[in-house]
Amino acid sequence: MRGGSELELGKSNLPAAESELELGLGLSLGNGAWRERGRILTAKDFPSVGSKRAADSSSHHGASPPRSSQVVGWPPVGSHRMNSLVNKQAMKAEKREGKEEGKKKVMKEEDEPKDVPMKVVQGSGFVKVNKDGVGIGRKVDMRAHSSYENLAQTLEEMFFGMTGKVKPLRLLDGSSEFVLTYEDKEGDWMLVGDVPWRMFITSVKRLRIMGTSEANGLATRHQEQK
Amino acid sequence: MDRRFPFKVLEHIFSFLDANEDRNSVSLVCKSWFETERRTRKRVFVGNCYAVNPLKVARRFPKMRSLTLKGKPHFADYNLVPDGWGGYAWPWIEAMAARRPLLEEIRLKRMVVTDECLEKIAASFRDFKTLVLTSCEGFSTDGIAAIASTCRKLRDLELRECNVDDLGGDWLSYFPETSTSLVSLDFSCLDSEIKLSDLERLLSRSPNLKSLKLNRSVTLDVLEGLLRRAPQLVELGTGSFSDELDPEEISKLTKALSELKQLKSLSGLWDLLPEYIPVLYSVCPRLTSLNLSYATVQMPDLVDLLSRCSKLQKLWVMDMIEDKGLKTVALCCKELRELRVFPSGADLDEEDVALTEQGLVSVSEGCKKLESVLYFCVQFTNAALVTIAKNRPNFRCFRLCVMEPFAPDYRTQQPLDEGFKAIVERCKDLRRLSVSGLLTDKAFEYIGVHAKKLRMLSIAFAGDSDLMLHHLLSGCESLKKLEIRDCPFGDTALLENAAKLETMRSLWMSSCFVSFGACKQLSQKMPRLNVEVIDEHPPKTRPDSSPVERIYIYRTVAGPRQDTPEFVWTIHKNPEVGVSRLSTR
């Protein structure tokens, strides 16, 4: 799945009907040809962050997320130095290759010394969250959450401050004046909470905290789609 | 009575002003001071070649002897600026050649310099003495040959990390056959081999040579012969340090190095083999600058070397030095002012590299004069940053690169906000800062509140919202250069703080949430800013809400530039459609 990010200006939170736009990051050293496109990278794209290295082992769909050394211009080391590093890694790889018996090539990120390619990223990561009536949006890391309750708690802290209230599901159970909705990869706005969490995080593109009254129309539309 | 200060007196007083910042202030006082100052300025510095018109600069400073120019934004070093963006030296060379033929020194950074430029320099400035090109590209060794052969009074020829079309080592033979006036020669970034005899003869006829930086292709076995011909060297950049030498050669080399009684700076040392470390012992006690960043040497050998460098002020090294090695530095190198620790490319998936935040903490404790740091590390803690800040409130430049984007404090899992807060609170003279790791808007609030002398700030993968940018633009009074990549904000803060941008040299933002509409608005609102939108392939239509890949904003009195490539949009090109070229459907 290729994620994209759409931009909202100020309070106009409803999505415009244009197609997704990809943010190209691909560049290569030396010849200036623009290679692969990517999108804004988020914490999700670096599964080996801190103690979450285990997440890497459970990666599935084909191309794995980029390591931090696969991102263009990162780490910020000048290209002369980078070339030197790359050659060393290639040499290390060759040495390791030499030690292994089989002819299996050890795939290092940088195959061509002069190129630092950016791999396409799967899955979701940080998504933008807007609350009605608040101009400045926030971002929340979907990968850092394990459940709807978890997410709701984070959002409540972000947008409603630490209320200290015991009921964490205010956003999800329809009991407050606000309700949590999301835009999925098809561009439809849905109520949060209807699909299993794992499915949700792969399809969510944006979140919006809207007034319950406005959301009523949404719920209906959602039901109609069923 | 004429109340004005006589021109001669003013002129004499101004001749004591060296710093261009002072001269700039002085020139704003009144017309006569402006006139006097401009007639006496010899060294001209232009931080952004597009901020001002070359002809105007040429006309303004009739006594100009030295010109320093910078072109591309800093992030070009990391391949974030596409080829062909700009930064051409030619208009400047042309203007100076026509109007300032007495120019003696040209220093260019991140600019496109062609052979034509170099030939023009050689042909136009009869007293030309100094050419320093840093991170430049677009020229070949033919251009260098032109400089070498034609500039009879050449003193400095330095190519620092340039991308040169290397057509071979012939250029070295183009220096004048009789003696040369060379003081410094740096060709360390060239790839091809040079003829040994050419180099040896050049050294023999360059009695004033103080600084020599060889390229990697100069092998170890010839080094001794070169050094014997230049025992007066103060700075030496060796070539490769890994070839096999027999014991006699080793002993000869050791002796030759020990004869360099004035040597203060050592660099190069590509692939330095541990068995050759003792060869360097004799120069260590005198060294004030040591660049080991290309020397693939392990910690024990580094310790061996560094423990003998008690006068060291500047150390560049790779992370193979480990915490242990830095502890030695803290103990032995009490004069240290600048430390850079570069990543060696150790695979992040392997066992933890033994360079952690502890290394920097040790150095900050032991080296009381430390004021400039560049440190690459996998992860960090707030506690370490707080300690470092307490130890060294005299930091002027603090660049920490936590290589894992979004990495929190690995002990507490908290963002590194508090750590950087300590840095900006305590280091009141901080001029340059690079932040990294997991950071929320709070970190930037702290920076905005405390970092009042901060001139340059680099940010990647940080923050939560527009507040981040807002804090910086509204708080950092001295901010001149701000560069940001992969941060989740854009329009609001940018538009609200538009006026601030005229007080800064430049702002770079890539992979952020800046919309095209905001770029248009900013361009319309601020005519003295050049707002450049740089996109891979400009889309056929560009709705206002579409995000832009890169935006580069800089103040200018030169108006829109005329040399933008296709992929750079400015409002002057096509304000309606927003693409540089209308596509036909």
Side-chain angles (χ1 to χ4, degrees):
Chain A
M1 174 200 125
R2 304 183 88 194
S5 42
E6 289 196 20
L7 208 60
E8 299 171 350
L9 287 178
K11 296 181 183 179
S12 58
N13 289 331
L14 287 174
E18 58 269 3
S19 52
E20 289 174 23
L21 281 161
E22 303 277 323
L23 300 176
L25 287 179
L27 279 179
S28 66
L29 293 171
N31 66 13
W34 298 49
R35 305 273 175 95
E36 298 164 67
R37 290 164 167 267
R39 59 176 178 78
I40 286 186
L41 295 162
T42 63
K44 164 70 167 132
D45 305 315
F46 302 97
S48 54
V49 166
S51 53
K52 295 175 185 160
R53 281 173 202 241
D56 205 0
S57 55
S58 63
S59 80
H60 17 273
H61 320 113
S64 50
R67 317 236 309 267
S68 67
S69 51
Q70 289 179 315
V71 177
V72 169
W74 192 264
V77 166
S79 43
H80 272 253
R81 202 172 290 283
M82 191 63 103
N83 287 341
S84 186
L85 272 185
V86 162
N87 289 334
K88 245 200 315 231
Q89 284 202 325
M91 286 191 318
K92 241 204 293 185
E94 276 167 26
K95 273 194 202 152
R96 234 183 278 160
E97 222 179 300
K99 285 183 188 161
E100 282 167 13
E101 293 193 322
K103 302 224 170 128
K104 211 167 44 155
K105 195 157 192 233
V106 173
M107 287 298 289
K108 282 281 174 176
E109 313 74 274
E110 289 94 21
D111 283 345
E112 307 148 34
K114 291 235 177 263
D115 220 329
V116 187
M118 239 282 299
K119 303 269 191 299
V120 173
V121 169
Q122 308 280 343
S124 65
F126 272 92
V127 296
K128 211 170 185 195
V129 191
N130 284 85
K131 174 172 170 251
D132 280 2
V134 177
I136 291 178
R138 304 294 302 272
K139 259 183 124 184
V140 67
D141 179 7
M142 299 308 295
R143 203 181 59 94
H145 296 87
S146 51
S147 67
Y148 286 116
E149 294 79 41
N150 216 209
L151 175 65
Q153 195 167 31
T154 303
L155 293 178
E156 277 173 51
E157 276 168 33
M158 262 186 194
F159 288 93
F160 299 93
M162 300 285 286
T163 60
K165 296 210 174 128
V166 193
K167 289 190 286 181
L169 297 174
R170 289 177 73 229
L171 273 179
L172 296 177
D173 62 6
S175 65
S176 74
E177 59 201 86
F178 287 100
V179 93
L180 185 59
T181 64
Y182 73 103
E183 183 187 10
D184 71 3
K185 52 188 173 182
E186 266 115 53
D188 297 321
W189 284 86
M190 326 269 262
L191 274 181
V192 163
D194 287 336
V195 300
W197 174 254
R198 302 233 89 209
M199 198 198 264
F200 170 67
I201 58 173
T202 58
S203 62
V204 63
K205 267 174 46 198
R206 274 196 298 178
L207 290 165
R208 184 178 155 199
I209 301 172
M210 62 167 81
T212 330
S213 47
E214 227 183 311
N216 281 335
L218 253 192
T220 318
R221 199 181 70 190
H222 175 68
Q223 275 154 11
E224 277 171 17
Q225 280 169 353
K226 282 187 182 170
Chain B
M1 185 176 96
D2 192 334
R3 288 179 182 277
R4 284 174 307 169
F5 239 0
F7 169 76
K8 285 279 172 220
V9 176
L10 265 184
E11 193 183 31
H12 181 70
I13 296 174
F14 287 176
S15 67
F16 292 101
L17 290 174
D18 282 327
N20 274 345
E21 274 198 20
D22 293 335
R23 284 185 162 268
N24 290 343
S25 308
V26 145
S27 67
L28 291 172
V29 168
C30 65
K31 266 201 169 144
S32 79
W33 280 41
F34 176 86
E35 282 299 309
T36 312
E37 191 284 315
R38 79 174 184 87
R39 284 183 220 279
T40 57
R41 192 183 300 209
K42 294 220 175 84
R43 320 187 66 83
V44 175
F45 171 82
V46 179
N48 174 4
C49 65
Y50 288 120
V52 70
N53 185 305
L55 286 169
K56 293 215 169 125
V57 174
R59 262 187 250 129
R60 180 173 166 187
F61 301 110
K63 287 271 169 65
M64 188 195 314
R65 293 290 178 269
S66 156
L67 177 64
T68 303
L69 288 174
K70 294 189 180 182
K72 300 185 203 176
H74 172 238
F75 271 0
D77 287 355
Y78 315 127
N79 298 304
L80 293 179
V81 177
D83 281 353
W85 171 82
Y88 304 105
W90 177 257
W92 288 87
I93 309 289
E94 202 185 18
M96 296 309 148
R99 283 166 175 71
R100 297 287 157 245
L102 296 179
L103 193 62
E104 295 175 358
E105 302 177 9
I106 294 179
R107 294 177 171 80
L108 305 176
K109 188 167 188 180
R110 291 190 205 101
M111 295 194 75
V112 177
V113 181
T114 57
D115 283 347
E116 208 186 4
C117 290
L118 296 174
E119 283 153 18
K120 186 81 167 169
I121 291 174
S124 315
F125 306 112
R126 61 153 212 263
D127 288 333
F128 196 68
K129 295 193 170 65
T130 300
L131 181 67
V132 177
L133 302 177
T134 307
S135 303
C136 292
E137 55 174 359
F139 59 101
S140 77
T141 40
D142 284 352
I144 304 299
I147 298 277
S149 65
T150 320
C151 303
R152 298 271 128 182
K153 300 191 183 172
L154 192 67
R155 284 206 306 226
D156 310 293
L157 177 58
E158 297 180 25
L159 307 173
R160 303 179 185 171
E161 307 213 331
C162 293
N163 249 334
V164 184
D165 188 8
D166 197 336
L167 305 171
D170 252 357
W171 62 273
L172 201 58
S173 64
Y174 279 76
F175 286 100
E177 276 304 321
T178 53
S179 74
T180 79
S181 39
L182 274 178
V183 173
S184 90
L185 177 63
D186 180 351
F187 59 95
S188 52
C189 65
L190 296 182
D191 284 324
S192 65
E193 287 186 27
I194 42 106
K195 236 161 78 184
L196 180 62
S197 54
D198 284 344
L199 186 53
E200 284 181 338
R201 275 183 301 145
L202 179 65
L203 295 182
S204 298
R205 66 186 197 276
S206 304
N208 298 323
L209 194 69
K210 293 275 190 292
S211 169
L212 175 65
K213 298 193 179 161
L214 308 167
N215 69 353
R216 198 175 187 167
S217 71
V218 176
T219 50
L220 194 54
D221 52 334
V222 309
L223 186 59
E224 180 258 333
L226 298 173
L227 296 181
R228 265 193 297 111
R229 288 169 170 81
Q232 74 282 8
L233 284 179
V234 175
E235 293 183 349
L236 170 65
T238 71
S240 146
F241 227 90
S242 62
D243 314 289
E244 294 219 10
L245 297 182
D246 62 44
E248 196 197 329
E249 286 172 310
I250 295 180
S251 138
K252 271 186 162 173
L253 179 58
T254 312
K255 180 155 194 295
L257 278 163
S258 68
E259 302 279 292
L260 301 176
K261 301 290 183 210
Q262 318 224 32
L263 196 70
K264 293 234 167 59
S265 161
L266 185 60
S267 59
L269 302 169
W270 274 285
D271 311 313
L272 174 63
L273 290 178
E275 48 261 43
Y276 293 147
I277 300 233
V279 163
L280 303 172
Y281 284 171
S282 59
V283 301
C284 289
R286 289 189 287 274
L287 283 182
T288 57
S289 166
L290 180 56
N291 184 347
L292 290 164
S293 61
Y294 291 103
T296 46
V297 180
Q298 303 298 324
M299 185 270 294
D301 302 306
L302 284 171
V303 164
D304 203 6
L305 197 58
L306 291 169
S307 54
R308 294 158 200 269
C309 299
S310 57
K311 291 225 179 94
L312 211 56
Q313 293 180 20
K314 175 170 139 177
L315 174 63
W316 290 20
V317 74
M318 286 204 273
D319 58 11
M320 286 153 6
I321 192 171
E322 301 181 5
D323 289 347
K324 259 193 170 174
L326 288 176
K327 254 211 167 110
T328 307
V329 171
L331 277 172
C332 303
C333 307
K334 293 299 188 191
E335 298 294 314
L336 200 67
R337 280 143 171 77
E338 178 182 328
L339 173 69
R340 294 197 190 188
V341 180
F342 294 98
S344 59
D347 211 331
L348 290 173
D349 274 353
E350 285 171 1
E351 304 98 53
D352 302 307
V353 181
L355 179 90
T356 70
E357 74 281 5
Q358 259 316 117
L360 189 54
V361 171
S362 314
V363 179
S364 72
E365 263 166 29
C367 302
K368 310 242 179 279
K369 300 191 183 174
L370 189 66
E371 55 180 33
S372 172
V373 168
L374 170 61
Y375 200 78
F376 283 83
C377 189
V378 178
Q379 48 194 17
F380 230 78
T381 64
N382 281 310
L385 281 168
V386 170
T387 308
I388 290 166
K390 280 209 185 110
N391 289 338
R392 290 277 64 75
N394 48 324
F395 274 139
R396 288 173 70 94
C397 168
F398 188 77
R399 297 161 71 189
L400 175 65
C401 181
V402 175
M403 289 191 286
E404 284 289 1
F406 308 111
D409 175 327
Y410 70 89
R411 286 198 198 282
T412 65
Q413 299 305 314
Q414 293 301 305
L416 291 178
D417 298 347
E418 295 303 311
F420 280 106
K421 176 185 184 202
I423 295 281
V424 293
E425 250 184 338
R426 294 202 172 243
C427 305
K428 306 228 184 289
D429 269 333
L430 199 64
R431 297 274 194 271
R432 183 167 178 185
L433 177 66
S434 300
V435 297
S436 53
L438 183 65
L439 296 166
T440 71
D441 289 344
K442 266 246 158 271
F444 301 97
E445 187 187 333
Y446 299 143
I447 296 176
V449 165
H450 294 286
K452 292 305 181 190
K453 294 238 177 100
L454 194 67
R455 297 172 59 96
M456 181 169 177
L457 177 60
S458 311
I459 307 171
F461 307 109
D464 303 314
S465 73
D466 278 54
L467 274 179
M468 166 190 171
L469 186 57
H470 177 72
H471 288 313
L472 294 173
L473 293 179
S474 57
C476 297
E477 287 162 9
S478 310
L479 197 62
K480 290 281 175 276
K481 287 193 284 183
L482 180 56
E483 47 185 23
I484 304 174
R485 64 166 293 179
D486 294 276
C487 292
F489 59 72
D491 301 350
T492 319
L494 203 57
L495 292 170
E496 273 175 13
N497 292 283
K500 170 76 174 175
L501 299 176
E502 270 191 16
T503 69
M504 292 167 55
R505 185 186 296 174
S506 65
L507 168 63
W508 167 277
M509 286 169 57
S510 54
S511 305
C512 297
F513 284 142
V514 179
S515 74
F516 181 65
C519 296
K520 278 204 296 192
Q521 263 186 283
L522 193 62
S523 306
Q524 282 153 357
K525 204 168 149 183
M526 312 288 301
R528 285 186 302 198
L529 294 178
N530 273 359
V531 178
E532 296 188 6
V533 173
I534 303 166
D535 267 306
E536 180 183 338
H537 295 296
K540 293 185 170 37
T541 59
R542 207 198 267 270
D544 279 6
S545 61
S546 65
V548 301
E549 289 172 24
R550 301 167 183 77
I551 176 171
Y552 183 47
I553 305 168
Y554 53 91
R555 67 176 170 191
T556 179
V557 294
R561 58 175 174 121
Q562 304 302 321
D563 58 4
T564 48
E566 223 179 271
F567 56 81
V568 170
W569 173 91
T570 67
I571 197 155
H572 314 280
K573 278 178 152 179
N574 202 332
E576 288 313 313
V577 178
V579 294
S580 53
R581 202 166 59 179
L582 276 173
S583 65
T584 48
R585 284 237 197 201

